[in-house]
């Protein structure tokens, strides 16, 4: 096996893709669940060239909203904003669109969560700015 296919190399690619997708660094964790997440989902699936991270995130937001997994969708919303893949306006529009396909309650929950996460990120940015000017 070459270095490019070694377990360490696959894990490194997975961790790097996770950092790219979520806009924050990830550390390696033990266990088979994390191994499948880093080594397969991120090193292989999120890394395939046919779709961009933004494309995958849009699909994932729709799937999570359809399942009612709004808390998990919040992780994707935060990452999309941090990575500047989607704007606040676009995220609200996604919620309105999804209301018509996955149900008004789930779409509305997503829309409310967009507002909450945007407000949290704006507050954090203001606090960071205030700390820098002190």
């Amino acid at each position: 096996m070459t270095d490019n296919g070694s377990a360490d190399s696959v894990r490194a690619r997975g961790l790097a893709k996770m950092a790219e997708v979520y806009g924050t660094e990830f550390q390696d964790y033990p266990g088979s669940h994390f191994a499948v997440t880093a080594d397969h989902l991120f090193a292989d699936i999120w890394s395939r060239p046919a779709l961009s991270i933004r494309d995958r995130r849009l699909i994932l937001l729709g799937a999570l909203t359809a399942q009612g997994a709004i808390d998990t969708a919040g992780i994707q919303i935060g990452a999309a904003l941090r990575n500047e893949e989607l704007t606040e306006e676009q995220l609200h529009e996604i919620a309105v669109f999804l209301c018509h396909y996955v149900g008004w309650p789930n779409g509305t929950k997503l829309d409310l969560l967009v507002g909450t996460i945007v407000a949290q990120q704006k507050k954090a940015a203001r606090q960071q700015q205030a700390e820098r000017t002190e």
Side-chain angles (χ1 to χ4, degrees):
M1 186 179 271
T2 67
D3 283 346
N4 289 339
S6 72
D8 289 343
S9 175
V10 171
R11 180 61 52 90
R13 283 189 298 116
L15 291 171
K17 183 56 75 171
M18 289 172 78
E20 182 183 0
V21 168
Y22 292 108
T24 187
E25 294 302 313
F26 281 84
Q27 64 180 4
D28 198 355
Y29 288 98
S32 59
H33 185 268
F34 187 79
V36 171
T37 301
D39 301 349
H40 176 67
L41 179 59
F42 286 92
D44 292 338
I45 303 304
W46 275 86
S47 297
R48 293 170 60 92
L51 296 173
S52 68
I53 290 174
R54 182 182 185 275
D55 294 339
R56 292 176 198 283
R57 195 171 321 278
L58 286 167
I59 294 164
L60 185 51
L61 279 169
L64 291 170
T65 304
Q67 295 174 52
I70 303 303
D71 290 344
T72 305
I75 295 167
Q76 300 304 320
I77 292 166
L81 289 166
R82 269 191 310 279
N83 292 343
E84 298 179 348
E85 297 162 352
L86 297 166
T87 65
E88 176 182 1
E89 180 182 11
Q90 290 169 325
L91 287 162
H92 283 296
E93 186 63 26
I94 289 166
V96 169
F97 182 77
L98 287 174
C99 280
H100 294 82
Y101 288 94
V102 303
W104 214 263
N106 284 344
T108 300
K109 287 177 192 173
L110 183 71
D111 189 63
L112 293 171
L113 186 58
V114 167
T116 299
I117 292 171
V118 166
Q120 289 170 345
Q121 287 193 358
K122 285 180 179 178
K123 181 179 179 182
R126 285 192 307 270
Q127 287 174 337
Q128 286 177 349
Q129 182 63 30
E131 290 170 3
R132 280 186 240 144
T133 58
E134 290 179 351

